[in-house]
């Protein structure tokens, strides 16, 4: 059976290739018929045409009563326009509205365009298959606030650029990123290779180092990269937008008795909560080797002797104990990534899409939204208690924009409802700050603005291979400038140990893939 079907497969692929390069206007597009072909033909081609990034909608404009029409080219229909009409068909105090969408000039008879329509108070969607004028009815605005917002700003329109097939394929690509399977691990690796240009070279076995702790010191950094499961998927997306080649961190501390401990923001406690914890090295290291199902790759980054001498261990311990048990720093997590109005959003991400995602999550999980961004947005406005719609209205009143609000630098002295908020790397760098490593410019450093990449680029670490621990990379024929102690794949840390600290460091830095170039002193 396989032999008899192979000519059909070759024929189908040949026809598709010819149709793809043909300039003839056809009643269908090759992409539209791919799902109808045998899976062994269609799936590899769909894989090459679409990826997880294609799941993200593209902002095309806002239809409002102020402008006559919004015009754009869609994925299926090449000539489109939209306009908004306010009305009161519902007979309510503030009425509703009708969004008119006229689509025309489809590139084939079988394609369709999918749209998402957003205000700070609602998210809805529709798809269009026929060339004609369509309408989206908003029967009643959710009170005066939405009515006033729509009058001023209109309804935001997002296009699913990949169309129906691409969107489904995008969902298919995103799902495995978060699965705790070999499929998930391979998907994370493929995503990072494709979108960041990362390399995953296998190390020789054994993939775990026989570490002797007498050569590990207070302040030494642990860089961790997880590539499967819930945290693996999250870290993959974090790496993509920030340019970091590690997704998690921890720090080593010795007490007055010489016992080695590990401080970590993001350690899961018995209740399943992610908190700041200080654990004995043996407990932490055993867990990473035997119980962490995210397949962690771990490297030890020893401090340079000069910085080790400057590291005030007493001050570091005081800080660690003051933070022990507090929640992980979700409040300011995204703000270490967003430093600029446009330079931190890999296409098709932008501030409009960020606002829309926040709107969706605010509707689905309001408590989660409050923890992730509402308090941080209020800090930037100098307000208290505003939810996301109120924040957007307040920004508009002040003559500013949401993208400008997101780019306002986080301040280390901001205290949230559950205490100071520090992500994994902010916890460590704040400890470095308390321990004197940023002196004499510590007052002009906001460590909550640092990504993990920003941290491992600091020129704080050992630069002389002869001073690295004896067991460092002893099983690897490639001698890294740091010590990888766990993991199948060799850890890359581009820019490692190259940047001297400077005032207001990392407060206005772009981070666009795949090169992640940054101007001097941003």
């Amino acid at each position: 059976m396989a032999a008899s079907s192979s000519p059909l497969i070759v024929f189908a692929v040949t026809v598709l290739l010819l149709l793809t390069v043909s300039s003839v206007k056809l009643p269908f597009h090759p992409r539209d018929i791919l799902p109808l072909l045998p899976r062994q033909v269609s799936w590899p081609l769909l894989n090459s045409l679409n990826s997880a990034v294609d799941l993200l909608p593209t902002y095309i404009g806002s239809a409002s009563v102020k402008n006559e029409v919004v015009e754009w080219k869609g994925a299926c229909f090449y000539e489109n326009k939209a306009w908004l009409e306010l009305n009161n068909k519902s007979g309510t105090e503030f009425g509703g509205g009708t969004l008119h969408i006229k689509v025309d000039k489809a590139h084939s008879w079988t394609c369709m365009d999918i749209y998402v329509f957003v205000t700070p108070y609602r998210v809805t969607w529709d798809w269009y298959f026929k060339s004609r004028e369509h309408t989206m009815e908003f029967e009643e605005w959710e009170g005066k606030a939405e009515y006033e917002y729509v009058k001023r700003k209109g309804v935001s329109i997002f296009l699913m650029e990949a169309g129906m097939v691409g969107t489904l394929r995008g969902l298919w690509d995103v799902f495995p990123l978060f699965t705790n399977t070999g499929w998930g691990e391979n998907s994370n690796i493929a995503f990072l290779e494709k979108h960041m240009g990362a390399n995953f070279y296998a190390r020789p076995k054994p993939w775990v180092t026989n570490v002797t702790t007498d050569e590990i010191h207070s302040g030494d950094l642990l860089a961790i990269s997880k590539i499967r499961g819930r945290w693996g998927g999250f870290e993959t997306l974090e790496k993509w937008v920030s340019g970091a080649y590690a997704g998690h961190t921890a720090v080593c501390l010795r007490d007055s008795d010489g016992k080695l401990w590990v401080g970590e923001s993001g350690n899961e406690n018995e209740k399943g909560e992610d908190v700041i914890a200080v654990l004995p090295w043996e407990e932490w290291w055993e867990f990473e080797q035997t119980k962490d199902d995210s397949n962690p790759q771990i490297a030890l980054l020893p401090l340079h002797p000069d910085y080790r001498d400057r590291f005030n261990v007493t001050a570091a311990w005081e800080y660690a104990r003051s933070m022990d048990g507090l929640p992980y720093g979700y409040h300011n997590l995204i703000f270490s990534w967003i430093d600029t109005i446009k330079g931190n959003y890999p296409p098709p991400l932008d501030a409009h899409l960020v606002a829309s995602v926040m709107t969706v999550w605010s509707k689905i999980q309001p408590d989660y939204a409050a923890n992730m961004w509402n308090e941080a947005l209020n800090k930037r406005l100098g307000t208290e208690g505003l939810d996301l719609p109120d924040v957007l209205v307040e920004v508009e009143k002040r003559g500013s924009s949401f993208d400008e609000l997101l780019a306002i630098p986080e301040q280390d002295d901001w205290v949230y409802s559950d205490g100071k908020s520090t992500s994994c790397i902010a916890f460590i760098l704040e400890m470095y700050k308390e321990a004197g490593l940023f002196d004499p410019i510590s007052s002009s450093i906001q460590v909550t603005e640092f990504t993990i990449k920003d941290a491992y680029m600091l020129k704080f670490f050992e630069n002389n291979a002869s001073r690295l621990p004896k067991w460092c990379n002893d099983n690897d024929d490639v001698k890294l400038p740091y010590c990888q102690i766990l993991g199948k794949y060799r850890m890359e840390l581009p820019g490692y140990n190259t940047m001297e600290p400077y005032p207001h460091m990392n407060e206005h830095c772009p981070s666009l893939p795949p090169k992640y170039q940054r101007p001097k002193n941003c």
Side-chain angles (χ1 to χ4, degrees):
M1 191 68 170
S4 62
S5 65
S6 60
L8 175 62
I9 294 172
V10 173
F11 173 78
V13 171
T14 304
V15 170
L16 278 170
L17 291 174
L18 290 173
L19 291 174
T20 302
V21 299
S22 172
S23 60
V24 179
K25 170 80 172 179
L26 297 168
F28 61 88
H29 190 278
R31 253 179 305 199
D32 302 327
I33 65 168
L34 282 176
L36 306 178
L37 297 175
R39 178 186 172 89
Q40 60 264 47
V41 177
S42 64
W43 218 243
L45 288 172
L46 282 172
N47 256 327
S48 67
L49 291 170
N50 300 104
S51 71
V53 176
D54 294 320
L55 184 62
L56 299 172
T58 299
Y59 174 72
I60 59 169
S62 295
S64 70
V65 294
K66 287 183 178 180
N67 54 3
E68 292 185 1
V69 293
V70 180
E71 297 185 10
W72 69 95
K73 180 181 178 181
C76 171
F77 296 94
Y78 287 171
E79 293 185 7
N80 308 277
K81 58 180 65 177
W83 62 97
L84 181 66
E85 170 195 355
L86 297 181
N87 55 50
N88 198 356
K89 297 176 183 178
S90 59
T92 56
E93 183 178 1
F94 299 105
T98 302
L99 180 62
H100 300 265
I101 307 102
K102 186 176 182 180
V103 300
D104 200 7
K105 298 292 189 294
H107 69 69
S108 82
W109 293 352
T110 55
C111 65
M112 67 177 68
D113 275 337
I114 307 172
Y115 290 96
V116 181
F117 308 105
V118 180
T119 79
Y121 303 83
R122 71 179 72 220
V123 178
T124 187
W125 68 281
D126 206 350
W127 55 272
Y128 304 121
F129 184 75
K130 294 182 179 181
S131 294
R132 65 177 178 87
E133 182 181 320
H134 304 265
T135 57
M136 169 65 66
E137 295 290 342
F138 300 94
E139 294 185 5
E140 182 180 356
W141 304 119
E142 292 188 13
K144 182 179 180 181
E146 185 177 24
Y147 170 68
E148 293 292 343
Y149 182 89
V150 170
K151 272 205 311 183
R152 291 192 309 272
K153 302 288 286 185
V155 176
S156 297
I157 304 173
F158 293 84
L159 168 69
M160 303 300 293
E161 289 273 16
M164 179 65 78
V165 172
T167 301
L168 293 175
R169 178 60 219 169
L171 285 168
W172 180 258
D173 279 350
V174 164
F175 172 73
L177 296 181
F178 296 88
T179 61
N180 190 12
T181 62
W183 176 36
E185 181 173 315
N186 292 334
S187 297
N188 279 290
I189 290 173
F191 185 100
L192 294 171
E193 288 176 333
K194 178 177 181 179
H195 296 291
M196 289 185 69
N199 297 307
F200 286 84
Y201 299 120
R203 302 165 66 221
K205 291 185 177 180
W207 295 330
V208 58
T209 298
N210 184 18
V211 175
T212 55
T213 60
D214 57 324
E215 294 185 87
I216 300 177
H217 306 276
S218 289
D220 289 351
L221 181 69
L222 292 157
I224 305 160
S225 179
K226 303 185 179 186
I227 54 176
R228 66 191 296 172
R230 174 172 64 102
W231 280 110
F234 172 80
E235 285 190 15
T236 289
L237 299 178
E238 177 192 9
K239 292 167 187 171
W240 173 52
V241 298
S242 69
Y245 277 60
H248 186 55
T249 51
V251 67
C252 299
L253 282 173
R254 283 197 182 276
D255 63 19
S256 56
D257 295 325
K259 182 178 175 62
L260 185 63
W261 299 74
V262 175
E264 181 179 36
S265 179
N267 186 275
E268 187 172 320
N269 64 14
E270 295 177 353
K271 299 178 181 178
E273 301 165 332
D274 295 316
V275 299
I276 297 170
V278 182
L279 307 169
W281 164 268
E282 294 78 11
E283 179 182 336
W284 183 88
W285 183 226
E286 181 185 4
F287 176 87
E288 294 303 331
Q289 292 181 80
T290 63
K291 298 178 182 178
D292 191 336
D293 57 10
S294 66
N295 193 8
Q297 321 290 299
I298 303 178
L300 177 77
L301 282 50
L303 285 180
H304 188 279
D306 292 346
Y307 279 94
R308 186 177 301 143
D309 291 342
R310 289 170 57 178
F311 190 85
N312 186 326
V313 178
T314 302
W317 268 108
E318 288 178 1
Y319 172 75
R321 291 189 179 103
S322 73
M323 299 294 288
D324 193 17
L326 290 181
Y328 175 80
Y330 286 109
H331 291 292
N332 47 28
L333 181 62
I334 69 169
F335 297 100
S336 63
W337 153 47
I338 302 174
D339 288 348
T340 67
I341 293 176
K342 294 182 179 179
N344 299 107
Y345 303 104
L349 288 178
D350 60 14
H352 295 283
L353 183 56
V354 171
S356 299
V357 170
M358 287 180 175
T359 299
V360 172
W361 278 103
S362 295
K363 296 293 182 184
I364 298 173
Q365 292 192 359
D367 293 340
Y368 176 92
N371 193 31
M372 280 291 286
W373 48 72
N374 280 5
E375 280 196 64
L377 293 174
N378 274 272
K379 293 286 188 187
R380 283 159 173 77
L381 285 172
T383 55
E384 291 185 7
L386 298 184
D387 58 16
L388 181 61
D390 293 333
V391 165
L392 295 175
V393 170
E394 182 64 24
V395 169
E396 177 69 14
K397 285 180 181 178
R398 298 186 184 189
S400 185
S401 63
F402 191 63
D403 48 10
E404 291 175 331
L405 182 68
L406 292 174
I408 294 175
E410 182 82 7
Q411 301 297 303
D412 291 351
D413 59 0
W414 283 348
V415 179
Y416 291 85
S417 58
D418 51 6
K420 283 196 171 184
S421 184
T422 57
S423 64
C424 63
I425 195 60
F427 168 71
I428 295 169
L429 294 181
E430 186 65 35
M431 181 185 294
Y432 282 7
K433 200 173 173 181
E434 294 291 327
L437 296 195
F438 285 102
D439 289 345
I441 61 168
S442 61
S443 62
S444 61
I445 293 287
Q446 306 298 332
V447 300
T448 43
E449 281 291 302
F450 283 55
T451 64
I452 292 174
K453 177 185 178 183
D454 298 330
Y456 65 64
M457 288 181 70
L458 284 168
K459 206 169 183 180
F460 283 176
F461 304 103
E462 181 60 82
N463 59 3
N464 185 338
S466 67
R467 289 197 295 253
L468 292 172
K470 296 182 180 63
W471 39 259
C472 185
N473 304 312
D474 59 350
N475 296 316
D476 200 341
D477 53 352
V478 175
K479 301 305 180 184
L480 299 170
Y482 38 83
C483 307
Q484 184 160 350
I485 58 177
L486 184 64
K488 174 181 178 180
Y489 300 104
R490 192 171 294 120
M491 290 181 70
E492 298 177 320
L493 300 176
Y496 172 70
N497 202 27
T498 57
M499 192 166 294
E500 296 282 359
Y502 57 86
H504 304 289
M505 187 176 190
N506 300 316
E507 292 184 8
H508 302 287
C509 293
S511 60
L512 290 178
K515 295 185 178 180
Y516 300 97
Q517 293 176 338
R518 51 177 284 157
K520 186 177 180 181
N521 294 334
C522 63

